[in-house]
Amino acid sequence: TFLIPLYLQNNLGYSALQAGMFFIPVGIIQGFCSPTAGALGQKINPKILIAGGLILMVLSFYLNIFLSFLTEKWYIMMSLYLRGIGMGILFTPLLTLSLARISVVQMAQASSITNIVRQMGGSFGVAIFSHMLTQRTSYHTQRYSEALNYTGEIYHQTIDKLSFFALQTTGTTEETAKSLAEQLIIKRLELEAYIGGINDDFYIASLTDAMEQYAAAEFIITEIRQYLNTKNIPYITENSY
């Protein structure tokens, strides 16, 4: 969640208020989906809702891998809406399953431990992804700097045009205008590297969620097979072929 506001403010020029406004519909969607998931969890297996929530989360993170300076508002909002729906249908059945076998006497302690674990997990996640963002930004900055041909014709043409623009708008000397042009190029390179670091973070997040989805799918398949075995209902396995 913290990566999108950073991207909006540092790369697209949004203010803190504008970036925060992006998440208001997400909260509304999540608030609507959570009770709906709770009602559905009484009619269908909650593990199905958990799997569906994880799939939407993976899709949302995957869409955020392709962020750039040209990313339009609707694309960002679509990924956030998917994430809001996924979180809404994920956490309610997940909390229900985690407390399903807890006695009434231990319910208060179990609920407190669950909230503490969620808060600690969120804190560790922010710390880890912040560190990864810094590392990947440094990596992309180095790669882009190495790829930039400071002696090439295109680079000098860009410097000349930016210097001319600085001369016309600021009225500075040629040396100062050239220095401003070089600073603009370096700033743009750093911003591109920052976007690359954010995309890498979302890529790792999508892989992590995909592994969680795989584990959840394996668990659901095991539960279904156990149910079929208790009912003596044959099911297809790899050995059936």
Side-chain angles (χ1 to χ4, degrees):
T1 302
F2 78 100
L3 291 173
I4 292 295
L6 291 177
Y7 164 73
L8 293 175
Q9 295 180 62
N10 297 335
N11 296 104
L12 298 187
Y14 282 64
S15 66
L17 178 61
Q18 290 173 327
M21 294 290 288
F22 260 76
F23 288 87
I24 292 179
V26 180
I28 296 174
I29 292 173
Q30 186 175 351
F32 175 78
C33 291
S34 292
T36 304
L40 288 175
Q42 299 177 354
K43 299 179 181 180
I44 62 176
N45 194 329
K47 300 182 185 68
I48 298 177
L49 295 174
I50 294 175
L54 287 173
I55 290 174
L56 291 177
M57 294 284 286
V58 171
L59 180 59
S60 172
F61 290 142
Y62 179 77
L63 291 175
N64 291 144
I65 294 174
F66 307 101
L67 297 176
S68 69
F69 282 107
L70 302 178
T71 302
E72 297 185 8
K73 180 180 177 180
W74 69 266
Y75 185 89
I76 303 173
M77 296 302 296
M78 180 177 63
S79 67
L80 291 177
Y81 290 162
L82 289 175
R83 194 174 310 168
I85 297 173
M87 293 174 65
I89 67 177
L90 171 65
F91 287 122
T92 300
L94 188 62
L95 182 62
T96 301
L97 285 180
S98 63
L99 302 177
R101 299 183 181 180
I102 304 298
S103 63
V104 178
V105 178
Q106 298 174 326
M107 185 62 68
Q109 296 177 347
S111 179
S112 300
I113 292 174
T114 301
N115 290 329
I116 291 173
V117 171
R118 286 180 59 184
Q119 293 295 329
M120 291 180 61
S123 300
F124 277 115
V126 171
I128 292 172
F129 279 100
S130 296
H131 174 72
M132 292 172 55
L133 176 60
T134 303
Q135 295 296 321
R136 297 303 298 176
T137 301
S138 299
Y139 168 78
H140 286 293
T141 301
Q142 181 179 357
R143 291 295 300 272
Y144 292 159
S145 298
E146 293 174 354
L148 188 61
N149 186 5
Y150 293 94
T151 59
E153 182 180 355
I154 297 178
Y155 176 81
H156 288 291
Q157 288 179 357
T158 305
I159 289 292
D160 291 339
K161 291 179 180 179
L162 290 174
S163 299
F164 179 77
F165 176 78
L167 283 172
Q168 296 297 320
T169 55
T170 62
T172 59
T173 62
E174 293 184 1
E175 291 296 329
T176 304
K178 184 177 179 180
S179 177
L180 289 174
E182 293 174 348
Q183 292 177 17
L184 285 173
I185 292 178
I186 294 174
K187 182 65 176 177
R188 177 61 64 181
L189 185 147
E190 291 174 349
L191 291 176
E192 288 286 355
Y194 192 77
I195 292 179
I198 290 177
N199 290 341
D200 291 346
D201 262 17
F202 277 118
Y203 178 74
I204 296 171
S206 65
L207 289 180
T208 303
D209 264 16
M211 289 188 291
E212 293 176 357
Q213 172 63 28
Y214 176 78
E218 288 289 333
F219 183 75
I220 292 174
I221 291 174
T222 302
E223 291 287 322
I224 293 174
R225 288 178 176 176
Q226 291 178 354
Y227 173 79
L228 295 177
N229 286 333
T230 58
K231 298 296 182 178
N232 293 323
I233 301 175
Y235 57 86
I236 297 175
T237 62
E238 293 180 359
N239 297 328
S240 300
Y241 298 98

